[in-house]
Amino acid sequence: MPEYLAPGVFVEEVSFRSKSIEGVSTTTTGFIGPARFGPVLASSDILTSLTEYERAYDAGTQMAFGADGGQSGPNFLWQAVRAFFEEGGRRAYVSRVFRPLEGVYPSDLEASFANAAVAASNPVLYKDGHARATVGADGSDRFRIVARWPGSGGNLRVRFTLRLGPNVLGALPDPDDKTALIPTVANLADGDVVWITSAATLTPAAPVASPPAPREVDELPIYVAKQAIDGGWSFVEGGIRPGSPPQPADPSATLALADFNLDPTPGSGDSIRALSLAIEVLSDDGSRSLGAWGGLSLAPGHKTAGVPDSIFDLFSLDGAASADTPIVLLNDVAGGIVGGGTDLLRALDSLKGIDFSLTPAEWEDARFKDELAALRAKLERGLTGVAYLEGGNDGLLPGRAEYEGRADPTEDYATGLKQLEALEDISIVAAPGSTWAYDSRVDDVNAVTNLLISHAERMRYRIAVLDTPEGMKIAEVRKLRAKLDSKHAALYWPWVTVFDPITRQALNLPPSGFVAGIYARNDTERAVYKAPANEVVRGAIGFETLVSTAQQEVLNPEGINVFRFFEGRGYRLWGARTISSDPEWKYVNVRRYFAYLERSIDKGTQWAVFEPNGEALWANVRATIRDFLVNEWASGALLGDKPEKAFFVRCDRSTMTQNDLDNGRLVCLIGIAPLKPAEFVIFRIGQWTADQKN
């Protein structure tokens, strides 16, 4: 109660109604499986379209497992996400699994990145699966590009563009001499690499009849801008050399701002132009951009507003600022760093397209009076070079260990199904492609299936959508089903035939991606209490096996949901049973509806924790849950023509003993009459005569 210690008027806010419970989402799906690229140690952000998946992972190219890539097959994860969104799915998470050619992932990722000698027996591939490229010659001007994540999709193209900016040299009136000007600079930061055109640094060469010999990078008028504590500027020639701390190439070759000549005529006089780097990362086929970063400084250790933002900071292995960049840039100099300025330019000069020399045609251009002016004009337009990463691979076909995953709180990462445990809003889990190549790895596939079931049961509010292996006959499917029993899982057969946009041929795909999308569409268009069956499979052009009514009469009682083709009604999902032996949990919609109710009540009654455990709290809890269930009954989710027949809520002395109260327990008993699906619709018809009475 508030304290009132002085006379006055006090206004308080009070509540005269019970708390409300909001229904939770039931359509968010968690997929797990191998992909050609993308994060392994962290799950994706929530995906709302196939385009978002492709931006984070890959665009559906077939995968190749094994050291020789001989075990190739469809990209099942991409196909499942595509089917999910086509069938009506709205939101999904993805946990990518990866099994390297040797060892486990990650063993020591940082050491692996730093070690260039990680090639497998096949020199084209790397054991850890990460593609690599080296830029520059062997020396202080060399650095390495490594794909941040493993996979054949990591054989990226990295486009570097060097460009000179506008002249930042300006002037202010001299306060002591109104006719004089004082040089100043604008839009320049300490550590920026600049190109200086100044009478103090060079004398324009006289025109010659033929192009001169190519200039070395060290001969270019490259400087590093330095700002003193008092705000004064100086410019150090040649950039920075490796060392601790980095040292100027020649401290005596320094220009002060006062050394520059000002000319009021636009385009005349000295100039200071910032030299910046832009990096764009493209997919392995060059068709998609994975990200672009512009205005990057060439100086290691460069900071903006106190935040490191050089290319070796932005594209580092760790750090929040670089977590989403698809590549990592590593200094390849033992005991030092790649220097700024000319060192980095010298490395980039090794790329095709970045050339600090002039062609005869460029030399003959009448606009250019000397070689440096011509090179400066080239840099103003931009010089672009491309580095190609190689050696990335899809590793080995993942198995039980990869799907189960690992979690290391000290390193703040999780893999496999353990990633999905941290995501509360997932209601459906599936592992598309986990049953592929069943005959060669029976035990592994069965273990992954059991892991998926265990995960759904442990997380309580989820259902696992299980795939049968490809090519199974009815007897084999029944044998597989006989080994499973869970009220948190449903089994589907046969595989769905689609038109593959990658190979432009018919392709059989596991059902889980389609089923998860149908679940989501059913919940959105109807409700979670409606059985997700008798729904059109939008992406199907056929099924691996056409199931007859007589065959389904054998499979349906055993909890094997099938896809059927009906003349004039198309391709449909024709089953909604779990694999539970408990008749109370026979139907998928009952299981999912109870998960919806339980999770909604769980989230909507958190306010009750640590409240005084007495009559007032019990009444409030009863009212909160009753209001929620009345709304469910009114929407048609519960059986009964009155709320009293549809549910009951008890929270009083009849549900709690004194021992419960003494131990801080509030026990609420809730009974619900759920709707079961009309699985068998029976019309009894007999003859009737007009003279008979009703």
Side-chain angles (χ1 to χ4, degrees):
M1 293 290 292
E3 290 186 346
Y4 305 111
L5 303 179
V9 176
F10 303 92
V11 178
E12 300 177 1
E13 293 183 356
V14 296
S15 175
F16 298 101
R17 52 165 293 174
S18 60
K19 305 289 184 181
S20 61
I21 296 177
E22 182 180 1
V24 298
S25 169
T26 59
T27 62
T28 304
T29 300
F31 290 104
I32 181 171
R36 295 182 64 247
F37 196 52
V40 178
L41 305 183
S43 63
S44 65
D45 289 332
I46 193 164
L47 306 173
T48 59
S49 68
L50 181 62
T51 301
E52 291 182 3
Y53 171 86
E54 292 176 346
R55 188 179 299 120
Y57 293 92
D58 58 75
T61 305
Q62 286 196 325
M63 304 193 66
F65 301 102
D68 58 355
Q71 196 173 11
S72 61
N75 193 327
F76 289 114
L77 186 58
W78 178 84
Q79 296 281 6
V81 173
R82 175 173 174 261
F84 172 76
F85 287 115
E86 282 188 351
E87 296 298 332
R90 300 290 183 87
R91 294 172 298 275
Y93 290 95
V94 167
S95 174
R96 181 190 173 204
V97 294
F98 177 77
R99 180 182 177 186
L101 295 176
E102 290 187 12
V104 295
Y105 190 91
S107 52
D108 188 348
L109 196 58
E110 187 168 358
S112 175
F113 270 40
N115 180 16
V118 291
S121 56
N122 184 345
V124 178
L125 304 180
Y126 290 99
K127 295 176 183 178
D128 61 4
H130 291 266
R132 291 163 166 79
T134 300
V135 178
D138 293 341
S140 63
D141 57 356
R142 191 176 73 171
F143 66 92
R144 191 155 14 107
I145 311 171
V146 184
R148 182 174 295 277
W149 304 295
S152 58
N155 296 321
L156 304 168
R157 304 179 185 186
V158 183
R159 180 182 295 159
F160 296 88
T161 301
L162 289 167
R163 181 171 280 108
L164 279 179
N167 185 13
V168 298
L169 179 63
L172 292 174
D174 190 336
D176 299 327
D177 183 359
K178 301 301 182 182
T179 62
L181 298 175
I182 298 176
T184 184
V185 292
N187 299 321
L188 196 65
D190 183 55
D192 279 355
V193 177
V194 296
W195 176 295
I196 291 179
T197 302
S198 169
T201 62
L202 60 93
T203 300
V208 296
S210 61
R215 278 185 182 262
E216 296 293 334
V217 173
D218 291 328
E219 298 178 290
L220 301 176
I222 300 296
Y223 291 74
V224 175
K226 295 292 181 181
Q227 187 174 27
I229 297 177
D230 61 2
W233 288 93
S234 61
F235 302 90
V236 181
E237 184 181 6
I240 306 172
R241 290 290 182 263
S244 182
Q247 300 297 318
D250 183 2
S252 63
T254 301
L255 289 176
L257 200 56
D259 296 332
F260 289 86
N261 296 320
L262 301 176
D263 192 323
T265 305
S268 303
D270 297 345
S271 66
I272 302 174
R273 301 171 186 270
L275 182 61
S276 64
L277 178 66
I279 296 178
E280 183 179 14
V281 181
L282 305 173
S283 60
D284 52 344
D285 59 1
S287 62
R288 295 178 296 115
S289 175
L290 278 63
W293 298 262
L296 305 176
S297 173
L298 278 70
H302 187 274
K303 295 182 180 180
T304 299
V307 179
D309 61 354
S310 75
I311 62 171
F312 293 107
D313 292 312
L314 181 62
F315 296 94
S316 62
L317 178 58
D318 44 32
S322 61
D324 296 326
T325 57
I327 59 171
V328 174
L329 298 184
L330 298 174
N331 289 295
D332 210 21
V333 181
I337 63 171
V338 171
T342 54
D343 271 359
L344 192 53
L345 287 176
R346 192 183 300 110
L348 295 173
D349 191 26
S350 66
L351 295 176
K352 183 178 180 181
I354 296 181
D355 187 5
F356 299 107
S357 60
L358 299 177
T359 65
E362 291 169 333
W363 180 255
E364 293 296 335
D365 194 320
R367 292 176 299 166
F368 301 142
K369 303 302 182 182
D370 60 70
E371 181 194 7
L372 287 175
L375 288 175
R376 186 183 69 189
K378 287 180 66 173
L379 281 168
E380 288 174 350
R381 295 192 300 268
L383 294 177
T384 299
V386 179
Y388 296 87
L389 277 63
E390 297 178 328
N393 60 87
D394 295 327
L396 302 176
L397 188 61
R400 182 191 189 283
E402 288 71 38
Y403 279 89
E404 181 179 16
R406 295 183 295 151
D408 189 341
T410 61
E411 297 293 336
D412 192 25
Y413 78 80
T415 63
L417 286 169
K418 295 195 178 295
Q419 285 181 4
L420 302 183
E421 292 181 3
L423 302 171
E424 292 185 0
D425 52 336
I426 292 177
S427 300
I428 309 162
V429 290
S434 62
T435 60
W436 183 61
Y438 180 75
D439 292 339
S440 61
R441 53 190 198 103
V442 174
D443 294 337
D444 228 5
V445 170
N446 291 338
V448 171
T449 300
N450 290 331
L451 282 173
L452 209 60
I453 294 173
S454 298
H455 170 83
E457 291 178 343
R458 185 169 57 255
M459 300 306 294
R460 295 181 56 197
Y461 306 137
R462 298 179 183 179
I463 187 169
V465 179
L466 305 180
D467 295 320
T468 53
E470 184 179 13
M472 269 197 165
K473 305 300 181 184
I474 291 180
E476 296 171 321
V477 174
R478 296 179 66 194
K479 184 178 179 180
L480 176 66
R481 163 62 185 90
K483 301 175 183 177
L484 306 173
D485 188 357
S486 174
K487 62 182 181 181
H488 285 271
L491 182 67
Y492 292 85
W493 177 82
W495 282 30
V496 180
T497 305
V498 301
F499 178 78
D500 183 11
I502 304 299
T503 62
R504 298 185 180 275
Q505 295 179 354
L507 175 66
N508 291 326
L509 294 176
S512 55
F514 300 89
V515 173
I518 290 173
Y519 280 9
R521 184 175 81 213
N522 175 83
D523 295 357
T524 303
E525 296 181 355
R526 295 291 300 277
V528 66
Y529 60 80
K530 189 266 180 188
N534 195 6
E535 297 285 345
V536 174
V537 186
R538 294 174 178 171
I541 61 172
F543 298 125
E544 182 185 34
T545 301
L546 292 180
V547 182
S548 66
T549 300
Q551 291 171 325
Q552 190 174 13
E553 287 177 346
V554 176
L555 300 174
N556 193 65
E558 297 180 8
I560 302 171
N561 302 313
V562 303
F563 293 92
R564 296 279 304 275
F565 171 74
F566 297 95
E567 191 73 37
R569 301 187 66 233
Y571 301 97
R572 292 182 176 259
L573 174 57
W574 205 250
R577 293 197 177 193
T578 68
I579 54 172
S580 175
S581 59
D582 186 345
E584 282 193 4
W585 304 106
K586 181 193 306 183
Y587 294 109
V588 168
N589 62 303
V590 175
R591 171 65 274 166
R592 297 186 67 234
Y593 184 61
F594 266 78
Y596 160 78
L597 293 178
E598 292 168 12
R599 185 160 174 254
S600 298
I601 294 172
D602 183 355
K603 292 188 67 176
T605 56
Q606 292 295 316
W607 56 268
V609 180
F610 292 113
E611 290 291 309
N613 196 5
E615 294 287 351
L617 177 62
W618 304 342
N620 204 348
V621 169
R622 287 195 303 268
T624 297
I625 297 175
R626 183 179 293 112
D627 289 346
F628 174 63
L629 294 179
V630 166
N631 186 64
E632 291 296 310
W633 169 79
S635 66
L638 301 178
L639 185 64
D641 57 354
K642 297 180 180 179
E644 294 78 11
K645 295 181 179 180
F647 65 87
F648 69 83
V649 181
R650 295 176 190 161
C651 184
D652 48 35
R653 276 289 191 173
S654 67
T655 63
M656 289 172 279
T657 65
Q658 186 60 43
N659 183 62
D660 289 324
L661 298 178
D662 292 341
N663 287 281
R665 291 192 289 263
L666 183 153
V667 181
C668 183
L669 185 62
I670 306 171
I672 298 168
L675 288 171
K676 305 293 177 65
E679 193 176 17
F680 308 100
V681 179
I682 304 168
F683 296 98
R684 294 191 171 96
I685 303 175
Q687 293 187 10
W688 178 263
T689 58
D691 59 347
Q692 287 184 335
K693 297 181 180 180
N694 292 336

